[in-house]
């Protein structure tokens, strides 16, 4: 009897212990699930933009715009304030924006899988193959990479490789080893400066060189790109990590002669898109080199840029005029930085840094996709309220094709990040 009781008690104790263990395990797992959920909420909360809708908006805008854009000798560049339709400009070798429209179409194919955009992209890309020989300015990178580079990467158009390699060679021909940078502009078109001119925008063109070095091109393309990034890092930035737009170097000894602007408010001001090119440029240079000094610098530039932003995450066209609410916005700068920050968030190890860049990038996209900046129902672009060159008196508060390009690139990056979660 006693033994039986003992056994019963023992069995009971075992059962109770098992129950206790189960209960503990249950609570621990609930707690973990809660923690995971909380983590998820942090990221999902910040991706509380409706990405599918933003992509659908872009596709619907293209369905309206594309049938109107039939002249292959031209490409859409801007939509004037209060107008609905794209103003087209000739596919001319001196016009830096030729590659963005095909680039938009490649990304539209990327995010929707709709073959219509691929076919249209091919058509719009292949009209300016001869631009691969441009040696008159640095913009060959901006022109060729969004079109042919995306055609190669997104569209699987391997036959674009030689065109890209020739383009890289043309760009590299403008590198001046005495200075350590690529010469951006010609003096003829920009007579204020007499010697070697490098502008901050030039950072973006380095992507073509990195790509070419990795894809069968001359290894010196890589060295040129790195040298350009290092020289620019040394000379183009103020102590507060904002940048000048235009630097004039002595072509022979490489000394900095002048620090000026062309599109900013003043020589010493902080032109917003220029700051955006810096953030994007150094993020991309880190991606290509994995050299920590470029990551550190990209982070510093990003943090500085974020610290200057107004509530809606879209800067005025120059940070030095931003305190005046009447000054126009530049949505293009916001789109460039949104795309860069989403990339940057994947390169940093620290969770706080990851969240800071990811959240800022998403907030920018959310703002750009809102009624305030979206062109849906108003004009044929994706975005409104960009400013190309107010200091020169043109492209003020308009839609710009490169704003749309970096916007859809950012949406594509966000879609890829989401699918990895
Ligand atoms: N790269 C020319 C511009 O940003 O206006």
């Amino acid at each position: 009897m006693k033994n039986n009781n003992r056994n019963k008690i023992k069995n009971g104790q075992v059962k109770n212990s098992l129950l206790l263990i189960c209960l503990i395990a249950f609570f621990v797992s609930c707690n973990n699930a809660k923690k995971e959920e909380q983590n998820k909420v942090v990221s999902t909360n910040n991706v509380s933009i409706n990405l599918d809708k933003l992509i659908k908006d872009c596709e619907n805008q293209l369905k309206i715009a594309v049938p109107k854009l039939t002249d292959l000798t031209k490409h859409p560049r801007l939509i004037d304030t209060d107008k609905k339709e794209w103003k087209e400009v000739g596919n001319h070798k001196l016009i830096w924006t030729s590659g963005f429209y095909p680039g938009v179409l490649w990304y539209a194919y990327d995010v929707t899988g709709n073959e219509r955009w691929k076919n249209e992209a091919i058509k719009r890309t292949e009209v300016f193959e001869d631009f691969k020989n441009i040696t008159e300015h640095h913009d060959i990178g901006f022109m060729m990479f969004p079109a042919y580079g995306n055609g190669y990467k997104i569209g699987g158009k391997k036959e674009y490789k030689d065109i890209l390699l020739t383009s890289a060679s043309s760009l590299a021909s403008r590198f001046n080893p005495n200075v350590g940078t690529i010469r951006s502009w010609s003096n003829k078109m920009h007579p204020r400066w007499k010697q070697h001119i490098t502008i901050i925008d030039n950072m973006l063109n380095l992507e073509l060189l990195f790509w070419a070095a990795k894809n069968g091109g001359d290894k010196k393309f890589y060295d040129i790109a790195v040298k350009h990034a290092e020289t620019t890092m040394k000379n183009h930035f103020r102590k507060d990590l904002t940048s000048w737009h235009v630097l004039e170097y002595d072509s022979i000894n490489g000394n900095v002669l002048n620090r000026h602007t062309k599109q900013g408010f003043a020589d010493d001001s902080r032109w917003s898109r220029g700051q955006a090119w810096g953030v994007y440029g150094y993020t991309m240079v880190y991606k290509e080199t994995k050299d920590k000094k470029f990551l550190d610098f990209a982070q510093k530039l990003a943090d500085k840029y974020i610290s200057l932003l107004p509530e809606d995450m879209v800067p005025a066209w120059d940070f030095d005029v931003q305190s005046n609410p009447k000054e126009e916005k530049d949505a293009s700068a916001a789109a460039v930085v949104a795309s860069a920050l989403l990339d940057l968030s994947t390169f940093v190890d620290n969770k706080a840094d990851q969240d800071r860049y990811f959240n800022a990038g998403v907030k920018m996209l959310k703002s750009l996709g809102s009624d305030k900046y979206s062109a849906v129902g108003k004009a044929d672009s994706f975005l409104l309220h960009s400013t190309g060159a107010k200091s020169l008196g043109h492209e003020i508060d308009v839609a710009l094709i490169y704003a749309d390009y970096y916007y859809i690139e950012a949406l594509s990056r966000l879609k890829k990040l989401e699918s990895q979660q």
Side-chain angles (χ1 to χ4, degrees), residues 159-173:
E159 62 273 35
Y160 293 172
K161 182 173 171 167
D162 286 344
I163 299 166
L164 288 162
L165 293 181
T166 306
S167 306
S169 191
S170 303
L171 177 60
S173 74

Side-chain angles (χ1 to χ4, degrees), residues 77 96 138-139 142 185 199 201 245 263 271 273-274 277 388-389 395 402:
R77 165 140 176 167
W96 74 287
H138 72 139
D139 286 322
F142 276 116
W185 290 337
I199 65 172
D201 324 29
H245 181 202
Q263 283 154 267
W271 176 48
R273 201 165 53 258
W277 294 140
E395 298 181 342
Y402 44 95

Side-chain angles (χ1 to χ4, degrees), residues 263-266 269-277 305-335 337 364 367-368 372-373 384-391 395-398 400:
Q263 283 154 267
F265 167 69
S269 73
R270 298 162 295 178
W271 176 48
S272 302
R273 201 165 53 258
Q275 313 310 309
W277 294 140
Y305 178 93
I306 292 168
S307 78
L308 295 171
L309 287 175
E311 189 70 17
D312 71 359
M313 308 299 274
V314 179
W317 65 279
D318 191 300
F319 283 112
D320 285 277
V321 301
Q322 192 162 260
S323 57
N324 179 353
K326 290 206 177 103
E327 289 289 349
E328 294 77 9
K329 294 278 193 173
D330 183 14
S332 77
V337 175
M364 286 170 199
S367 183
L368 291 172
K372 187 170 176 192
Y373 292 99
L384 299 173
H385 307 310
S386 290
T387 297
K390 179 159 178 178
S391 53
E395 298 181 342
I396 303 164
D397 194 22
V398 295
L400 288 168

Side-chain angles (χ1 to χ4, degrees), residues 16 46 219 230 233 253 273 287 353 363 378 393 405:
N16 282 345
N46 287 297
K219 295 293 171 236
E230 286 172 346
M233 190 158 99
N253 63 24
R273 201 165 53 258
K287 174 156 76 176
D353 290 344
K363 268 167 116 181
K378 298 172 197 155
Y405 173 78

Side-chain angles (χ1 to χ4, degrees), residues 123-274:
K123 218 161 69 184
R124 302 305 303 225
T125 296
E126 294 182 359
V127 286
F128 52 82
E129 181 185 333
D130 57 327
F131 288 180
K132 66 186 177 195
N133 297 314
I134 290 173
T135 53
E136 289 91 336
H137 54 73
H138 72 139
D139 286 322
I140 182 169
F142 276 116
M143 294 159 95
M144 301 307 273
F145 209 63
Y148 285 92
N150 284 324
Y152 184 93
K153 290 187 288 183
I154 297 169
K157 301 284 286 177
K158 300 298 171 208
E159 62 273 35
Y160 293 172
K161 182 173 171 167
D162 286 344
I163 299 166
L164 288 162
L165 293 181
T166 306
S167 306
S169 191
S170 303
L171 177 60
S173 74
R174 296 185 64 79
F175 180 71
N176 178 346
N178 298 337
V179 176
T181 68
I182 291 163
R183 192 159 64 98
S184 301
W185 290 337
S186 74
N187 302 94
K188 208 159 95 192
M189 285 186 67
H190 302 272
R192 180 178 181 191
W193 302 285
K194 309 288 173 239
Q195 298 214 35
H196 179 107
I197 311 162
T198 298
I199 65 172
I200 187 65
D201 324 29
N202 203 148
M203 286 301 300
L204 277 274
N205 295 314
L206 305 183
E207 196 168 8
L208 171 64
L209 298 180
F210 284 122
W211 183 91
K214 267 194 315 217
N215 287 279
D218 197 323
K219 295 293 171 236
K220 80 170 186 223
F221 296 152
Y222 180 94
D223 300 335
I224 288 174
V226 169
K227 187 72 192 165
H228 182 105
E230 286 172 346
T231 309
T232 299
M233 190 158 99
K234 192 169 95 199
N235 297 323
H236 229 106
F237 293 85
R238 305 178 182 99
K239 281 201 173 60
D240 74 351
L241 297 159
T242 64
S243 66
W244 285 275
H245 181 202
V246 182
L247 253 70
E248 183 180 19
Y249 288 97
D250 184 304
S251 310
I252 308 296
N253 63 24
N255 289 341
V256 177
L257 298 175
N258 290 298
R259 292 180 168 97
H260 287 151
T261 197
K262 180 103 182 180
Q263 283 154 267
F265 167 69
D267 280 338
D268 221 13
S269 73
R270 298 162 295 178
W271 176 48
S272 302
R273 201 165 53 258

